[in-house]
Amino acid sequence: MDPLWLAREPAGRHGSAATAFLLLGAAPAAVFAVAPVSALATALGVACALASGIALAVRIERALVYADEDAVLLRGYLRTRRVALADVVGVEGNTLFWCGPRGGLRSSRLAALSDPVGRSPVPSPASDLNRLERLRTQEWFEQAVGVRIKWRARLVGHLDDDALAREARVAAAGVRWESRRHRHKQPRPRWGVLRTAVEQERALRVRAATQHR
């Protein structure tokens, strides 16, 4: 399948970057400029404020989501993260949920997605674009992750012990994520299929190892 490339529309991106610079760069710099401190402290304060504002504005301008068959690259406002696609359990709204190295359910905000638009009955270009962005993102991850859960379950017998342990961690994280979603009446759970397959394969391997002793 084609990679997913997602970036905010220019108008929203430029506006957010300008606002961030004004609030976290220009405004603090103005405060430092009139503060009753030494000239050196004033210069340092103004320089740090402007540098912080510029850095955040640049990060906002460059925010993106790029996902392919191997990994998901998330360039956010404060950091860039790369998540293996095999560790992704799902996406909801503008948040990606994935399994951490120790099996914990982790989440990362998709900064390249537009912020939620208020529930207004009046349609607008911003709300329409917001819905299209989210729909496209959800459809991509459904095809890349959701529909492949049963396929992954059928392959557990061909995995080595380390890969099987990884699938166990991801399945457990996926089950926890779906449990949270079901409190809001979301679609039926599916990660339990992979968890069950892993548990059965582990039981078979334990039984085989016991018989060969």
Side-chain angles (χ1 to χ4, degrees), residues 92 97 119 176-188:
E92 185 174 359
F97 292 89
R119 296 181 179 179
R176 288 195 295 274
W177 173 63
E178 288 177 330
S179 297
R180 292 174 50 178
R181 297 177 75 211
H182 265 248
R183 289 182 297 182
H184 303 288
K185 298 181 180 179
Q186 295 293 330
R188 71 184 190 284

Side-chain angles (χ1 to χ4, degrees), residues 77-164:
Y77 296 166
L78 300 178
R79 65 179 299 179
T80 298
R81 183 188 295 277
R82 186 178 185 275
V83 180
L85 187 64
D87 291 333
V88 173
V89 299
V91 63
E92 185 174 359
N94 62 349
T95 304
L96 182 77
F97 292 89
W98 51 284
C99 177
R102 297 184 179 180
L105 180 60
R106 308 281 295 277
S107 64
S108 296
R109 182 174 178 271
L110 304 177
L113 273 174
S114 298
D115 293 327
V117 178
R119 296 181 179 179
S120 173
V122 181
S124 68
S127 62
D128 291 341
L129 180 60
N130 189 20
R131 295 188 189 96
L132 289 175
E133 287 177 334
R134 293 171 188 275
L135 180 60
R136 182 161 67 95
T137 303
Q138 290 172 354
E139 288 180 345
W140 194 93
F141 281 102
E142 171 63 18
Q143 294 299 316
V145 178
V147 299
R148 300 186 183 187
I149 296 175
K150 291 183 178 180
W151 174 75
R152 291 169 69 170
R154 291 194 293 267
L155 294 180
V156 295
H158 302 282
L159 303 177
D160 59 30
D161 291 342
D162 290 339
L164 187 66

